[in-house]
Amino acid sequence: MNATILLFPGTNRERDMAIALERATGKKPTLTFHRETELPAGTDLVVLPGGFSHGDYLRCGAMAARSPIMPALHAFAEKGGHVLGVCNGFQILCEAGLLPGALLRNANLRFLSMDCVLRVERAGTPFTSRWQKGATFRAPMAHGDGNYFADDETLDRLEGEGLVAFRYADGNRNGAARDIAGILSPSLRVCGLMPHPEDLVDPLMGGEDGMPLFTSLAETLVST
Ligand SMILES: NC(=O)CC[C@H](N)C(=O)O
């Protein structure tokens, strides 16, 4: 699997993401700056990592969603490419319209930095094939704007079509609608989630709970 990590001004989780991807694939991902207009040839997976792109001004991810690289990302997704967005990356994917809804300020208006427990709501996707449905796992979270919002019609559609990937299983600290922590596109090839599985991929970090996300992708996206 050839992974490309996108970098925006203010991205700060790209190294964590690169380590997690390399652990799963044995290959170093490519880093591509937001000012580029093309993705590296042969990219199987594009990852938008966490951080504070453009200082979180306007709304988290709003400016990054209009970066020069974004038309290439849209084209990649339309052609069947896989895209993962974590935290600020999830916010950018929503602001870019690649996933529905938006991430609003946390309900208590505080930045949340702690571990949470996620439940896998949809197994058998490129992002979740290594988990059973209903499995729970620990994931660190660190965000000020993780309050997932969408209108009821959209939420009903996401639930009806099995596009809720992950829910908070140990309490809803940020106010996210229906405890939603991560969602999938109808194609199942675009996924965004707020917590950080890439920060729990080594016993030295306190566990490897996040690894199945990356091994699922590595197993699905075997490069030709
Ligand atoms: N860790 C992150 O990616 C943070 C995302 C965003 N800046 C927020 O605070 O919500």
Side-chain angles (χ1 to χ4, degrees):
M1 174 176 84
N2 295 314
T4 294
I5 299 176
L6 297 188
L7 279 176
F8 302 88
T11 297
N12 65 9
R13 300 285 184 134
E14 71 276 13
R15 287 170 193 270
D16 317 37
M17 190 58 79
I19 288 167
L21 289 163
E22 191 176 347
R23 279 179 82 85
T25 64
K27 279 193 206 173
K28 284 197 191 306
T30 308
L31 299 183
T32 294
F33 198 46
H34 75 125
R35 283 194 191 281
E36 300 294 332
T37 52
E38 281 177 30
L39 293 166
T43 298
D44 302 303
L45 170 74
V46 177
V47 182
L48 290 80
F52 297 79
S53 57
H54 298 279
D56 281 351
Y57 283 102
L58 295 185
R59 187 161 65 194
C60 297
M63 283 191 260
R66 285 143 185 89
S67 298
I69 193 65
M70 293 310 277
L73 182 66
H74 282 278
F76 176 78
E78 269 158 35
K79 276 191 312 199
H82 288 72
V83 183
L84 170 68
V86 172
C87 205
N88 194 219
F90 182 21
Q91 295 165 339
I92 296 169
L93 291 179
C94 289
E95 295 294 333
L98 281 161
L99 288 171
L103 281 307
L104 307 182
R105 297 297 306 276
N106 292 342
N108 63 9
L109 301 182
R110 285 172 193 242
F111 192 92
L112 293 169
S113 178
M114 59 193 64
D115 281 1
C116 65
V117 178
L118 296 183
R119 187 171 56 247
V120 178
E121 296 287 335
R122 176 76 191 260
T125 76
F127 304 88
T128 59
S129 61
R130 287 286 186 105
W131 280 295
Q132 301 289 324
K133 181 174 162 56
T136 56
F137 66 100
R138 203 155 52 88
M141 61 178 183
H143 59 250
D145 297 62
N147 181 355
Y148 182 70
F149 172 84
D151 58 35
D152 281 333
E153 194 185 325
T154 303
L155 293 170
D156 289 345
R157 180 179 63 74
L158 287 171
E159 303 212 67
E161 295 176 10
L163 302 179
V164 175
F166 306 106
R167 262 188 244 268
Y168 299 104
D170 65 339
N172 182 339
R173 299 173 180 88
N174 57 25
R178 303 190 194 179
D179 301 342
I180 290 173
I183 57 173
L184 293 151
S185 66
S187 67
L188 306 180
R189 290 191 293 262
V190 181
C191 178
L193 75 164
M194 279 316 290
H196 292 272
E198 76 278 14
D199 286 337
L200 209 46
V201 296
D202 188 317
L204 286 173
M205 295 165 154
E208 296 178 288
D209 287 47
M211 269 315 282
L213 174 67
F214 303 99
T215 48
S216 296
L217 284 163
E219 193 174 67
T220 309
L221 302 177
V222 178
S223 306
T224 47

